[in-house]
Amino acid sequence: MGLITNSPGRTRVKICGLKTPGDVDAAIASGVDALGFVFYPPSPRAVTPNIAAALISRLPAGVDAVGLVVNATDAEFEAIRAAAPITLWQFHGDESPEECQRLAAGQPWMKAARVGSAFAFDDFSLQYRQANALLLDALVEGYGGGGVPFDWSGIPQAWISANAPRVVLSGGLNVHNVGEAIARLHPCAVDVSSGVEISKGVKDHALMKEFIEAVRAADASTLT
Ligand SMILES: O=C(O)c1ccccc1NCC(=O)[C@H](O)[C@H](O)COP(=O)(O)O
């Protein structure tokens, strides 16, 4: 189905930071819509382009391979693109709209917002209006993957009533809070890393399954 397909009533799920074939296979078996591969070397979840290519070869059609970069150079970005069949780019650093558009070169892309207090949501949306989606994440050290939520109450009501077709909610989600997030915010997709892990980069297969079950349960209760 892919991550950005807007289909009201079915919240898409991205699981990020996978490093092993076993974790990839378990996520696919749980019904994930997208898998994120971190190309940011300081992260304990980082993979090389060649490792990512091998992992992506296990994905069935319809599951997005999300390439996550943080202020990558042109050479770094092109090395990823040459090796790994990424279907959706996630710019998680300080990239300008122009840089994102140029690097994506016609492929779909998301811009991550690192939401601190008084974040200017509408300014961000206008600035990155060419993005296929806006991934709302918490403001944490190390750019992302922090395992902590941001204050959802700052998200403009207009984003929510429009069923937020471009909003991917991220940051500290887990089996205990994702249902509330969907009921309150109706994002087109949710994104999780820490909340389904044993340790950074090591996924808990049962937690991945439970997380997706919690999303499906939330979708079912919002339809009734
Ligand atoms: O996951 C990382 O290690 C990471 C490092 C640097 C930039 C971004 C990173 N992850 C981005 C993601 O899309 C995560 O899924 C997102 O930040 C949510 O993470 P978590 O709060 O752990 O669920």
Side-chain angles (χ1 to χ4, degrees), residues 14 16 40 43 45 68 90 92 137 142 145 147 170-172 191 193-194:
K14 171 193 167 225
C16 196
Y40 180 57
S43 168
R45 303 180 179 106
L68 191 159
Q90 180 176 325
H92 215 104
D137 195 3
S170 181
D191 166 53
S193 193
S194 304

Side-chain angles (χ1 to χ4, degrees), residues 50-103:
N50 287 338
I51 288 175
L55 296 174
I56 294 168
S57 70
R58 309 176 80 89
L59 271 58
V63 175
D64 268 325
V66 180
L68 191 159
V69 293
V70 177
N71 303 328
T73 65
D74 285 20
E76 289 164 346
F77 192 90
E78 291 312 323
I80 297 164
R81 169 175 272 144
I86 300 299
T87 59
L88 173 63
W89 294 100
Q90 180 176 325
F91 295 101
H92 215 104
D94 310 301
E95 301 88 352
S96 70
E98 294 74 20
E99 283 173 317
C100 296
Q101 193 75 350
R102 176 174 62 83
L103 290 170

Side-chain angles (χ1 to χ4, degrees), residues 14-18 36-46 66 68-70 90-93 110 112 114 135-138 140-149 168-174 191-197 200-201 203 211:
K14 171 193 167 225
I15 296 177
C16 196
L18 292 97
F37 301 96
V38 176
F39 300 107
Y40 180 57
S43 168
R45 303 180 179 106
V66 180
L68 191 159
V69 293
V70 177
Q90 180 176 325
F91 295 101
H92 215 104
M110 300 190 284
R114 300 164 57 228
L135 186 139
L136 303 183
D137 195 3
V140 295
E141 279 192 38
Y143 284 96
V148 293
V168 177
L169 186 70
S170 181
L173 295 180
N174 56 52
D191 166 53
V192 65
S193 193
S194 304
V196 294
E197 284 183 331
K200 287 187 184 291
K203 301 308 183 189
F211 182 85

